[in-house]
């Protein structure tokens, strides 16, 4: 079984100034659109942000949102949580993962961001141009990855072995 596209996906937080083409953005949005959802409700909408000022404003809306300021483009994911909060949020995560995997397959880097606390999500929703019942809690930066800078990672690298993660009930 070949899982390289999944196992090689990494968060990219620094990007070159090169543009992400309209066709590339459309391709990753198509991949997101095809994510499964409970009862095929597709409880998501997308806002594509290229405006530098708006990207900088969004980058201030969370402790880990700073990479949005340097991205050529960001996709903001709005969710209609009135349908069912747990279903809608889970399904939005599926769409986000499809989008990031498609970007990776196209040679683009991506990194998700959560807008929190609630006031930041409200601001992101307004900046994206959405109104109730839509709410933007997630954004994804997209761009061509900048060359990696070697240093000490803030978070341990690697994955736990599968044997530490899986149980088989009797």
């Amino acid at each position: 079984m070949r899982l390289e596209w999944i196992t090689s996906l990494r968060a990219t937080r620094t990007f070159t100034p090169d543009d992400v083409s309209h066709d590339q953005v459309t391709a990753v949005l198509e991949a997101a659109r095809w994510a499964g959802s409970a009862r095929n409700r597709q409880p998501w909408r997308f806002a594509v942000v290229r405006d530098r000022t708006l990207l900088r404003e969004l980058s201030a809306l969370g402790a880990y949102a700073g990479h949005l300021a340097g991205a050529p483009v960001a996709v903001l994911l709005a969710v209609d949580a009135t349908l069912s909060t747990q279903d809608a949020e889970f399904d939005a995560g599926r769409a986000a993962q499809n989008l990031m995997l498609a970007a990776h397959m196209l040679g683009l880097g991506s990194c998700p961001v959560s807008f929190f606390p609630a006031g930041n999500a409200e601001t992101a929703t307004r900046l994206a141009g959405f109104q109730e019942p839509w709410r933007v809690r997630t954004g994804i930066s997209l761009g061509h990855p900048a060359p990696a800078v070697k240093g000490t990672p803030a978070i341990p690298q690697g994955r736990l072995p599968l044997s530490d993660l899986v149980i088989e009930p009797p």
Side-chain angles (χ1 to χ4, degrees):
M1 198 173 358
R2 298 180 51 131
L3 300 174
E4 290 86 12
W5 285 115
I6 295 172
T7 60
S8 63
L9 177 65
R10 298 290 181 270
T12 301
R13 293 177 183 84
T14 56
F15 304 95
T16 69
D18 299 332
D19 189 34
V20 176
S21 74
H22 174 78
D23 289 345
Q24 289 172 313
V25 172
T26 299
V28 299
L29 291 171
E30 277 292 335
R33 181 175 79 89
W34 279 97
S37 63
R39 294 170 293 288
N40 196 31
R41 290 183 300 191
Q42 303 167 64
W44 49 66
R45 297 294 183 271
F46 307 100
V48 176
V49 179
R50 292 180 184 272
D51 181 79
R52 303 287 343 137
T53 301
L54 184 51
L55 287 166
R56 280 191 296 280
E57 287 181 66
L58 291 164
S59 75
L61 298 179
Y64 303 101
H67 57 89
L68 291 172
V73 65
V75 175
L76 305 181
L77 179 57
V79 176
D80 179 355
T82 63
L83 297 173
S84 170
T85 301
Q86 285 110 1
D87 284 353
E89 294 296 335
F90 179 80
D91 293 342
R94 295 171 72 186
Q97 187 72 4
N98 273 18
L99 187 149
M100 291 184 290
L101 284 168
H104 181 48
M105 291 177 76
L106 293 172
L108 298 172
S110 66
C111 187
V113 59
S114 296
F115 298 113
F116 62 90
N120 285 349
E122 291 168 11
T123 301
T125 301
R126 180 181 50 75
L127 290 172
F130 288 106
Q131 298 176 8
E132 290 292 331
W134 301 103
R135 184 171 184 99
V136 174
R137 292 182 52 194
T138 303
I140 301 167
S141 57
L142 290 173
H144 298 276
V149 177
K150 296 294 181 189
T152 304
I155 299 172
Q157 293 182 346
R159 294 286 188 252
L160 294 172
L162 198 54
S163 59
D164 288 356
L165 302 171
V166 178
I167 63 167
E168 293 188 28

